[in-house]
Amino acid sequence: MRTDVAQGTIWMVIAGMAVINFAVRFLPIAVVSRIDLPRPVMRWLSFVPVSVMGALVASEVLRPGGVWADPLTSPSVYAALLTGVVFSMSRSFLGATVAGMASFVALQQLIPWLLG
């Protein structure tokens, strides 16, 4: 499908999105970094990245492709559990990632074969 949009309009939209993105992300960080926040608030803020990552990973593990998977037959659930075990034993992010990817590939073939 071809649309006739002027090239100048496309660049104006890209520049506008960059300015808005910068304002929404950078300005609050710049303002908050100059304020001496109470210790409980700082502790609470330290959990935000972990929580966001957990929510993103849980969504992809439990709903691969946007559809709820059966947790008993889902390779992604078992691969995520194995990844967690490997990370808790080794404390290696790279090792856990490689173990998770390898186990996911293997479980994608193994689980349907086991279920026959």
Side-chain angles (χ1 to χ4, degrees), residues 4-29:
D4 293 323
V5 179
Q7 193 145 14
T9 303
I10 292 172
W11 283 110
M12 284 178 35
V13 169
I14 291 172
M17 289 188 316
V19 168
I20 290 172
N21 200 2
F22 178 79
V24 169
R25 292 173 190 256
F26 178 75
L27 291 179
I29 291 172

Side-chain angles (χ1 to χ4, degrees), residues 91-109:
R91 296 290 178 202
S92 167
F93 183 76
L94 180 60
T97 302
V98 170
M101 291 172 59
S103 64
F104 179 73
V105 170
L107 288 169
Q108 272 188 316
Q109 304 300 317

Side-chain angles (χ1 to χ4, degrees), residues 12-69:
M12 284 178 35
V13 169
I14 291 172
M17 289 188 316
V19 168
I20 290 172
N21 200 2
F22 178 79
V24 169
R25 292 173 190 256
F26 178 75
L27 291 179
I29 291 172
V31 170
V32 170
S33 68
R34 296 178 185 269
I35 299 172
D36 219 8
L37 295 172
R39 191 173 175 84
V41 174
M42 291 298 292
R43 182 168 161 75
W44 177 77
L45 287 173
S46 72
F47 292 113
V48 170
V50 173
S51 302
V52 169
M53 182 60 81
L56 292 172
V57 170
S59 174
E60 286 300 316
V61 167
L62 298 174
R63 295 187 58 194
V67 179
W68 286 100

